[in-house]
Amino acid sequence: MKKIIQLLAGIALMSGLLFTSCSKDDEDTTYTQEGEKKLLNEYIAYVQEKGYDVDTTANGVFYITLEQGTGAYPKQGDKLEVAYTGKFIGGVAFDTSGDPATNGYFTFTHKVDRMIPGWEEGMESIKEGGKALLIVPSTMAYGATGNYGIPPYTTLLFEIYLHDVASPEN
């Protein structure tokens, strides 16, 4: 029972992380590199104040391990099955795989199918069965041009559950 309460508390806290607005309105279309840097720094400070450990990959993708998996870390060529939600820092969702309870998984081949660099690099920080929040700066996403309705210089948040890692040998 204690684990269930802890899990529910963690989900509630995570919802707060994804839906908390810092100082920039999601509807603002005048995103700049300086504005993104300020918002990103505010967000990182906010989650650290809430007690989360924020780690960073070699190329500047931030991640928070929400639930440690017990399986393997993904490597190039592995077929991955994930459930995810992509949001802006202010909480507005821009993409989702759907509900895992109804088989809402997204399947792709790691570093073979083309993904944004921050997604590919961040996936390698999650073990199979684990859950993490990736905080992807625009330099590792859509940069100065934006894309697919994502404004320029926009940091992206991905809450990801790595359901399955299947190596090509299996």
Side-chain angles (χ1 to χ4, degrees):
M1 184 63 151
K2 185 176 179 182
K3 286 198 179 257
I4 292 172
I5 292 170
Q6 288 173 333
L7 177 63
L8 291 174
I11 291 169
L13 256 176
M14 193 57 225
S15 295
L17 289 179
L18 289 175
F19 289 101
T20 299
S21 180
C22 289
S23 66
K24 194 167 198 178
D25 187 342
D26 283 330
E27 302 303 317
D28 184 3
T29 58
T30 59
Y31 285 77
T32 65
Q33 191 171 18
E34 296 79 24
E36 178 193 19
K37 185 175 182 177
K38 180 178 185 270
L39 182 62
L40 176 60
N41 288 336
E42 288 174 357
Y43 187 73
I44 296 298
Y46 172 80
V47 296
Q48 288 174 329
E49 284 173 13
K50 294 296 181 188
Y52 288 93
D53 292 325
V54 180
D55 293 306
T56 311
T57 66
N59 291 311
V61 175
F62 300 92
Y63 64 96
I64 300 168
T65 301
L66 301 172
E67 187 176 317
Q68 189 64 255
T70 57
Y73 285 105
K75 52 190 181 313
Q76 184 171 348
D78 287 347
K79 187 174 184 178
L80 307 183
E81 189 173 75
V82 302
Y84 74 91
T85 300
K87 296 185 180 196
F88 300 116
I89 286 178
V92 175
F94 62 85
D95 196 12
T96 184
S97 62
D99 184 358
T102 58
N103 204 24
Y105 293 108
F106 172 62
T107 303
F108 64 100
T109 304
H110 185 53
K111 291 191 172 181
V112 173
D113 295 336
R114 190 161 185 239
M115 303 293 176
I116 61 172
W119 175 282
E120 289 181 347
E121 187 165 315
M123 289 304 302
E124 294 178 356
S125 66
I126 309 169
K127 284 185 176 182
E128 180 180 28
K131 189 174 185 181
L133 176 68
L134 300 183
I135 305 166
V136 182
S138 67
T139 55
M140 294 294 287
Y142 297 107
T145 58
N147 205 357
Y148 304 107
I150 295 171
Y153 299 114
T154 299
T155 296
L156 304 177
L157 306 177
F158 292 98
E159 185 175 351
I160 298 175
Y161 166 62
L162 180 53
H163 179 254
D164 189 50
V165 176
S167 126
E169 296 87 41
N170 295 341

